[in-house]
Each structure stands twice: as structure tokens, then as C-alpha cells.
Amino acid sequence: MRKLIMTLVARSRAHAFAVIALYLVVIGLGLAYARGHLGIDTNTDHLFARDLPWRKEQIVFNKAFPQFNDLIVAVVRDETPEGADATAKALAAGVAADKTNFKDVSRPGTGRFYRNDGLLLLPQAQLASLLNSIVTAQPFLGQLSADPSAAGLFKALDLMAVGVGAGQADLKPYDAQLKSFRTALDEAAAGHPKPISWQKLLTPSVSAQQGDVRFVLIHPVLDHGTLEPGGAATAALRRIAATLPSVKAGSATVNYTGQIPLSDEQFASLTQGMVLGLVISLSLITLWLILAVRSWRMIVPILITLVAGLGLTLSFAAVAIGTLNLISVAFAILFVGLAVDFAIQFCVRLRDVRRRIDDPVLAMVGAADEAGTQIALASVATACGFLAFAPTSFIGVAELGEIAGIGMLIAFFCTITLLPALLALTRPRGEVERIGFPLGDWGDHVLKRHGRPVLAVFGILAIAGIVSVATVRFDANPLDTQNPNTEAMRTLKTLLGKAVTNPFYVDALAKDLPQARVLAAKFAKLPEVSQVISGATFIPTHQTAKLAMIQQTQGILAPSLAAGTPPAVTPARLRAAAAKAAAEIATVAAKLPKTSPLIGIGQALDRLKAMPDDKLMTANAALVKYLPGELTRLNDALSAQRITAANLPPALKADWFLPDGRVRVQVIPTKAAQSSPGLWKFVAATQKVVPVVAGPAATTVATAKTILGAFREAAALGAVAIAVILMIFLRSARDSALVVLTLALSAFLTALFARLAGMSLDYANIIALPLLLGVGVSFNVYFVMNWRAGMKNLLGSATARAVLFSALTTGTAFGSLAASHDRGTASLGELLLLSLLAVLIATFVFLPALLYILPRRE
């Protein structure tokens, strides 16, 4: 190999123009092919092999329920539930009209079924309590139904005061409603009227169960040829939302989240600042090159060689892979950081040889003689660190490993062919001074004198590192690797606090309705579960008893809710009703507790009656804005009919039932499942009931297990491959063990540093650890091979200078990853920087100290 490398270097220098021309042709053809054939795969599902059991289950479930895939979820909030409903309805209408950007739109939990038959879905005890409260409020409802205006409201409050005066009214059960009335009337009297939520007042338990947000589910038209396939649709959604009157008025907000925006924003975070980061990275790399080789005659060839290798690696990716994914797109930064080491090693060695040999031809062959085999071993070992991922089921990293691994070999070939050709043209001058570090001589002296105490300290650090490895935490939550400041992530965070909107749920399939009920009962008993919903939920039990209760309530309320012709609303009527109610409340004030909201209501009515006509009419419009609709909704709900599988709405059936009769069961966890340990515990508990489950929680945990398995597999493969290669190159068990021992220490130090920095492993940064094998072995190999060759002072050598500046260039590239707006990429860069620091400490301190106390073998 040494002779082959020397021959390639010599002939490349001798035929420089031909070599450069050949590279230009090959790179040009490769980039032209890549431009037409290299795509971007933005689907994160494709990061894992399809033949994994959990991926098969996920694919089956996605095909069975495609309506839950590729969604933009609009989250609508308003000051009242009725306002949120109205805003969501208007938003859905606007989206449905835009066929260019959207395929379809739906509003879960709405429609005739929920409006007419929704009360049957309540538990029997809750339904009884709700109906009793409605019946108790019959006089109040009757007054509002007969006169659905602020005058009717004032008269109803008047009736309450009359009841108090007669000793026939206990207002304690209505304390919450009266407080709401007082707040609304105070605001109206102050000239800032706001709509009252009659839904919260008349059916508070149902309103609380529905929550304070409304969802609009949207399937966008995707453009998979861009980094943000749903970008155009999301922009269109923002435009539509901005035109809604309630949004313009500031009473409503429309935010969005979902698989599509989250994926789009992650790719946008990856590309954000990429150009600036690359420019800064290249500028710093150029600076390190200036300090390393001190001549543009070497810097320019190094940079050209680096760019050429990157172009050839990109061409390889286009031919062999065809697509780049969320992870493999980082190969360029890794290539720049690692491949530049080979060129720096060659050029620094060339400078050292030129100090002894003035002939440029002989000097270049001499540099190849000294450094060629070492660079070859470093490139192969680094490639093994990457290629170890290729056989794993973590396709995203497997493709990164394949591209970057072959890239290391391409970089080596460019270093021994293109770089000598370019150096032949730039003609670097000879050296007159020794290439090394004066400080390195002092370091050699210290380590030779105090080697054993230094090794003892490293022994203690290694033990601490081993403990850190045993206690390292893996964060399985993929949301923790995303930029928390994007719209989709901010919106998602607001939904995490409540169990009903927790995105980490589990799905299971029951063979029929009876089994669905059995499974739901088993899941509901688990302490990790807060709620279970299934197809059986929408065909409730005890319908006969519930219908009887509803029909009885309807019979009692029918006269009160009968629609009539309400009197005209005039300022005079409003003023008179307010004055009468205020006077009646003042009469009974002594019989009321001092904290009674009714006293405050009377005071607000006194102020309202004195308001100008226009403001009084504005207050009326706000106070009863949603009253007629709520009375109609209540009337419809009391007309419920028996629910069967046959009369379920088609859309609801599609969400919960399959054509073969199987029923979907959704298990929602408690808030504890938002943490990684809680999520693992929740999924494990559900799998004791049903071994095979799907859904985001199950997928997240299965993904984590796959990633951890891929890491272990890659680490084992990489370690074995590197050990074999070291034995082949070094032909010495002891010398190979020295490299492996130093590499192991680097790993333990990395774990210790990560622990001290409070870092946890995740699916993005875990790939840094096997890469440590490739990065660390390069530097260790250079020192061990020099020591074998008889070098007595390692730290003061040209090799040490080359290693240090290689580390600086590598650290610069890794630092650009750490500065990424994407949290996953940033965590990868941070862990790579820590591992690089660990490698430098092990290489520059531990390894020389160890070598200096060992007997030298010629």
C-alpha cells in the first residue's frame, strides 16, 4: 500500500493537468446527474425500515385510517365556546373553497349527530345531573325563550330576586352562573360589552368536557419537490384565518400544528441560517489552514480538494441512494469537518519533509511515504465508523453512514491524487524552520516525567465515565429535538397540558363491538390511562333509560322552549327591565349574603339603565348574541333518537370502524406520559392488555427502541471492523490495543462531559457516538504509528501540529451544526464537540503518557 500511494502521488504530480482535467469532467458529469436525480425525502416515516414489526403495524393502520395522515390541524380559540364554533365553521368554509391548496377539511365533534343525539353519549349519572339542573332552571329558560333579549335576561334575574323575597329560591347552586352574569353586566355597564357563553351557563358539564378549543382538520395539497411540501397550504391557511371577522376583531385566534407543519418547520429550521453558517464555517476553516500551513500555495489546493471530494460524494449519493432525508442531509457538514484532516496531514508532513529535502518532487514522495499509510488507515477507520450504520434498520442514519463512509474513501483518494496535482501547480516553497510546537516540547517533558500520576488521574476519570454511561438518559420524545419557537410547536405545547388533547395516545383494534367494550374497560383500569374512546363509545349503553330521561325532560320543558314571536327590542324596554330588576334586587339585598353575585348584578343594572340608547343596544347585542342558538341547540338535544351502528354518520364510522367489523380503540394517557419515562411506562402498560398497539405513543417508543438497537449494532460493528483494520495495518496486538484503549477512554470522557453538561441522548445526537470511533481512531493512529517509527517527542512533532489544526477544522464544522436552529441537529453538533474535546484530551495527554512508559519495540 505504501508503494501504491507513493506511485499515485508521484504520477499525479507528474501529470497534474491531466489529473485536474479528469476530475473536472467527472465532477461535472456527477453534479449534472445529481441535479436531475437527487431528491429530498421529507417523509420522516421513511427514516426506518418498512419490515420492522412496528412499521408494518403503522403502515397497516395508516392504510386503514388514511384520514389521520398528513394533516394540518388548525386550533381555534375564542372568548366563548360559541365564538370558537363560529370561527371554526367560517375557517372550514374558507379552506373548503380553496381547491388549489387543500384537498378536504373537517370539524370533529360537529354535525347533526352530535347536535341531536349527543346527550346519549354522556354517562347515565352525568346525564341525570345535567337534565335535573335544566329542569330546575325551567322558569329562567322559559323567560329567556319567550324574550331572547337583554330585557328577557333582566326579567329572569328579576324573577330570581322575587323568589329570594318569597323565601322560595336557593341561589347557591347557581353561584357560578350568577358570577358570570355579574362579570358580563359589569363589562357592559363599563362600555365594554362582551358576549356571554350561554353554553357554559346552561350546560356547564358538557361545555367543560368539550374544552376551550375547536379543531379544524385539513388535508393539504403537498409539493414533495420542495423542502416544505405543505408550505403553500400553510401560508394559504394563514391568509384565510387573517380575513375572519373574529380574528380581525381580536376575539379569536387561529393557530396550527400537525404532522405537515411540524415536518415542514423542522426542515425549515435545518436550512435556516445554513448559508451564513457555511460561510462562517469555511472562513474559520480557512483561518485554521493559514495557521497550519501558512501559505496560500497549500491552502488553495486543500480547499479545492475538499470541494472536489464533496462534489464527488454528492454525485455518489445521487447514484447510490437517490434521495437525502432529514438526517443524511447533514453529510456535507460532516464531510467538511472530517475530510479536511487528510489534506492537512499531507500538507503539514510535506512542509516537514521540505525542511529536510529541498527537491519538491522527492519531498512530495517523501511526504507520501511518511503520511500516506497513516492517512489511508485513518480514512478507512473513519469510513468504518460511518458504514457501521449501513446494515441497521435506522434507514435515515444508514443512508448517512453509507454516503459519509464512501465520502471518507473518496476524500482519501482525492488527497493522494488531486491534491498533489494542485500542489504541483502552486509550487509551495521550502521550509527553513522546524514544523511543530515549542509548547509541545514542554508537554513531552512533563508527560515523560509524570506519566504514571497522569495515567492514574485518567483511571479515575474513566471510572466516572463508566458510571456516566450507566446513568445516561435517552429522550424518546421526538418533539424535544424540534425548534420550540415555531408556530406548530408553540401550538402543540398549549395542547399538552390536558389529557384529552395529549398527542401521545395509543390505538388498538378490537375484532367487534363487544370486544371493544371489554378492551376499553381493561384500559380504563390502568393508572397510566386518563380516558378511553372507541367505536363503542358512539353506540352507548343504557340508551332506553337515557331516552326515557330525555323525553321526560322534553315534556317538562316543551312549553317553556316553544318558539313564539318575541317582542321588539327597544332601548325603552331594556331600560325599564333593568330598572325593575335592579329595584327588586335592592329590595331583597338584606336577605342575601354580602358576597352574593346578585347584589353586584343589581348595581350593574343600575348603571345600565342610565346608559345612552346606542350603548344600551350594543350591550343587548353582546349579552344575548349566542342565546337563540343555544336555545335551539338545547331543543334539538332533547329530541334525541336511539343510536345504532346503522345510523352513525359515515364520517364518524370511517374514523372508528373498519369494513370488516373491527373497531378502533383510542387510549389517552395521563399528563405523566409527556415525559420519556412516563411515555415508556404508558405504552408498556397498554401492551399488557393488547400486545400489538399503534398510534403516536407506541410509534415513539418503538422508534426509540429501534434507534437504540441501531446504535448498539453500529457501535459493535464499528468497533470490530476498526479492530480488524488496525490488526491488518499495524500487525501488532499491543499497538492495536493502544489505539482501542485510547478510543475507549475517549468514549468514557464523552459520556462524562455529556453528563456534566446535562445532555441526554436522543434520536438525532445518538449517531455522534459511533462517529467517535472513526474520528478518534484517526488521531490515535497517527501518534502510535509515529511512535512505532521511532519518534521520541510526539507533542512537539509536525504530526501533533497537523492533528491540532485538523481538530480545529473539525470542531468548526461541528460547531456549525451546534448553531443550527433545529434542536436535533444542534444537539448532534454539541455532542460531537464534546466527543472531539474528549478525543483531543485522550490523544494529546493520555496516549503520549502511556507510550512514554512502555518499552519501545523496534
Side-chain angles (χ1 to χ4, degrees), residues 303-323:
L303 292 176
I304 293 175
T305 302
L306 193 62
V307 172
L310 184 60
L312 290 174
T313 304
L314 187 67
S315 303
F316 166 78
V319 174
I321 308 296
T323 56

Side-chain angles (χ1 to χ4, degrees), residues 111-436:
R112 186 212 61 80
F113 172 78
Y114 292 97
R115 189 179 184 88
N116 288 24
D117 305 326
L119 290 181
L120 290 174
L121 303 179
L122 297 176
Q124 193 169 354
Q126 184 182 350
L127 176 61
S129 175
L130 175 64
L131 294 177
N132 285 336
S133 66
I134 292 174
V135 169
T136 305
Q138 181 189 12
F140 191 82
L141 289 172
Q143 182 59 55
L144 292 174
S145 182
D147 185 4
S149 68
L153 171 61
F154 300 157
K155 288 178 182 178
L157 294 170
D158 189 353
L159 286 176
M160 282 189 172
V162 171
V164 171
Q168 299 174 350
D170 180 12
L171 300 184
K172 286 184 180 179
Y174 307 103
D175 198 56
Q177 288 89 335
L178 288 173
K179 286 181 179 178
S180 296
F181 283 133
R182 177 181 176 176
T183 300
L185 292 173
D186 279 339
E187 290 175 341
H192 309 291
K194 293 182 180 180
I196 292 178
S197 173
W198 291 93
Q199 186 181 128
K200 286 184 177 180
L201 291 171
L202 299 180
T203 55
S205 60
V206 174
S207 180
Q209 199 165 348
Q210 288 180 332
D212 59 351
V213 299
R214 297 295 182 267
F215 298 102
V216 180
L217 307 183
I218 304 164
H219 283 108
V221 174
L222 301 177
D223 180 6
H224 289 289
T226 66
L227 279 176
E228 300 177 53
T234 303
L237 175 64
R238 287 196 297 266
R239 289 194 298 270
I240 294 170
T243 64
L244 301 178
S246 56
V247 174
K248 285 182 176 180
S251 62
T253 60
V254 176
N255 304 107
Y256 58 83
T257 185
Q259 305 108 310
I260 296 303
L262 286 170
S263 176
D264 285 350
E265 288 175 355
Q266 187 157 28
F267 274 93
S269 296
L270 279 171
T271 56
Q272 187 178 357
M274 181 178 288
V275 174
L276 178 61
L278 189 60
V279 170
I280 294 174
S281 179
L282 288 176
S283 300
L284 287 174
I285 288 174
T286 303
L287 172 63
W288 304 138
L289 290 176
I290 291 173
L291 295 175
V293 298
R294 297 181 179 178
S295 170
W296 69 267
R297 298 174 186 273
M298 286 188 174
I299 294 171
V300 172
I302 290 174
L303 292 176
I304 293 175
T305 302
L306 193 62
V307 172
L310 184 60
L312 290 174
T313 304
L314 187 67
S315 303
F316 166 78
V319 174
I321 308 296
T323 56
L324 297 177
N325 58 55
L326 179 66
I327 295 175
S328 65
V329 74
F331 87 91
I333 296 291
L334 295 176
F335 180 91
V336 170
L338 299 175
V340 72
D341 169 59
F342 309 148
I344 290 177
Q345 286 291 336
F346 187 89
C347 287
V348 170
R349 296 294 187 87
L350 177 59
R351 289 185 64 199
D352 190 45
V353 174
R354 283 297 304 273
R355 185 174 60 88
R356 293 177 271 121
I357 302 175
D358 189 54
D359 187 303
V361 178
L362 293 178
M364 189 170 292
V365 175
D369 180 22
E370 290 189 9
T373 307
Q374 296 181 13
I375 296 173
L377 175 53
S379 66
V380 173
T382 305
C384 285
F386 283 110
L387 292 173
F389 278 105
T392 69
S393 299
F394 193 1
I395 298 298
V397 178
E399 291 180 353
L400 170 66
E402 189 174 345
I403 296 169
I406 299 300
M408 293 299 98
L409 302 180
I410 291 173
F412 166 69
F413 188 76
C414 290
T415 301
I416 62 173
T417 54
L418 179 60
L419 181 59
L422 293 168
L423 290 171
L425 299 182
T426 58
R427 298 179 181 179
R429 295 188 175 93
E431 300 289 339
V432 295
E433 296 180 357
R434 174 180 156 232
I435 309 301

Side-chain angles (χ1 to χ4, degrees), residues 469-489:
V469 170
T471 58
V472 70
R473 185 174 67 90
F474 184 81
D475 186 355
N477 191 341
L479 299 178
D480 291 341
T481 65
Q482 295 206 201
N483 185 347
N485 299 316
T486 63
E487 170 75 8
M489 276 299 297

